[in-house]
């Protein structure tokens, strides 16, 4: 599930093609943005891609449409790769909490939106990215893996964003590969 450019979805698709992720089908890609890069990446890869309309966790109709739209594909794992909406408790329970999220900071620091900018403004010298299980509290579920990124004096906010994204493109496919091999819990 994603709302944005889809570079992390592309990294997952590439990892499957190269064999890093094995024994694992990407059954569908779902977005709340009709013309998002993530849907385009899925289309180019020949993976079913579905625009499920807007999603607001407090809206029961949105929730039901999203849950039923995804359940048709019978996923064992849901990956939030840049999905910029908060999920309802009902949604999380509907998928038996088998949902992981990619977040662009070293949690528990800098939860929520614009995490790289938050880290930059705080002046930290190490930031990074996290993959964690999704729980009802935002960006607070059990951490699965993290990758650090150093912030150098020569960096700009843009260069830090690029470094964090590069780290994400390595971390997320590796975590999916581990989960699919049954190593993570
Ligand atoms: C990623 O950097 C991901 O960490 C972030 O959205 C970006 C999506 O990029 N997610 C969040 O901020 C969630 N709180 P992408 O569309 O190019 O994969």
């Amino acid at each position: 599930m994603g709302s944005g450019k889809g570079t992390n979805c592309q990294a997952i698709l590439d990892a499957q093609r190269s064999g890093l992720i094995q024994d694992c089908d990407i059954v569908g890609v779902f977005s709340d943005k009709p013309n998002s890069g993530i849907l385009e990446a899925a289309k180019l890869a020949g993976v079913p891609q579905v625009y499920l309309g807007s999603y607001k966790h407090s809206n029961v109709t949105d929730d039901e449409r999203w849950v039923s739209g995804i359940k048709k594909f019978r996923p064992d794992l849901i990956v939030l790769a840049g999905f910029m909406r908060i999920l309802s408790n009902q949604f999380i329970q509907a998928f038996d909490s088998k949902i992981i999220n990619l977040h662009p900071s070293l949690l528990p620091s800098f939860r929520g939106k614009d995490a790289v900018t938050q880290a930059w403004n705080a002046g930290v010298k190490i930031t990074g990215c996290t993959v964690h299980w999704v729980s009802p509290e935002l960006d607070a579920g059990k951490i699965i893996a993290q990758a650090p990124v150093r912030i150098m004096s020569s960096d700009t906010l843009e260069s830090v964003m690029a470094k964090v994204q590069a780290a994400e493109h390595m971390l997320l496919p590796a975590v999916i590969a581990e989960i699919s091999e049954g190593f993570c819990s």
Side-chain angles (χ1 to χ4, degrees):
M1 288 166 56
S3 311
K5 287 182 294 181
T7 64
N8 284 285
C9 179
Q10 187 63 55
I12 297 166
L13 293 163
D14 292 345
Q16 196 195 30
R17 198 169 303 133
S18 72
L20 173 72
I21 298 175
Q22 294 177 349
D23 301 327
C24 193
D25 292 327
I26 301 168
V27 293
V29 171
F30 307 89
S31 184
D32 60 332
K33 296 278 185 291
N35 299 313
S36 50
I38 191 167
L39 290 183
E40 188 60 26
K43 190 174 169 187
L44 288 174
V47 170
Q49 27 94 29
V50 189
Y51 165 60
L52 282 174
S54 61
Y55 179 85
K56 208 168 179 200
H57 68 280
S58 53
N59 183 320
V60 177
T61 313
D62 282 358
D63 218 45
E64 286 173 357
R65 188 175 64 255
W66 273 76
V67 168
S68 64
I70 295 175
K71 278 221 161 175
K72 283 181 200 149
F73 290 80
R74 301 168 57 89
D76 296 313
L77 178 73
I78 295 185
V79 178
L80 306 184
F83 188 66
M84 301 309 283
R85 295 283 168 189
I86 297 169
L87 296 176
S88 71
N89 291 355
Q90 294 90 303
F91 185 100
I92 295 169
Q93 281 165 16
F95 294 101
D96 204 16
S97 301
K98 298 219 169 69
I99 307 172
I100 60 172
N101 180 46
L102 172 66
H103 184 77
S105 77
L106 294 178
L107 290 172
S109 296
F110 311 122
R111 292 175 182 171
K113 278 172 65 177
D114 302 323
V116 181
T117 306
Q118 290 184 53
W120 175 259
N121 290 341
V124 298
K125 297 301 170 206
I126 299 179
T127 187
C129 53
T130 301
V131 180
H132 64 94
W133 293 104
V134 171
S135 67
E137 195 184 341
L138 181 66
D139 297 331
K142 187 179 171 198
I143 291 171
I144 302 169
Q146 295 183 304
V149 166
R150 284 188 69 189
I151 301 181
M152 316 293 278
S153 54
S154 55
D155 272 316
T156 61
L157 174 58
E158 289 69 31
S159 69
V160 176
M161 284 178 170
K163 289 200 285 190
V164 169
Q165 279 242 300
E168 291 181 334
H169 297 161
M170 305 280 285
L171 187 70
L172 185 58
V175 168
I176 294 168
E178 284 193 3
I179 290 174
S180 68
E181 289 161 20
F183 293 154
C184 283
S185 62

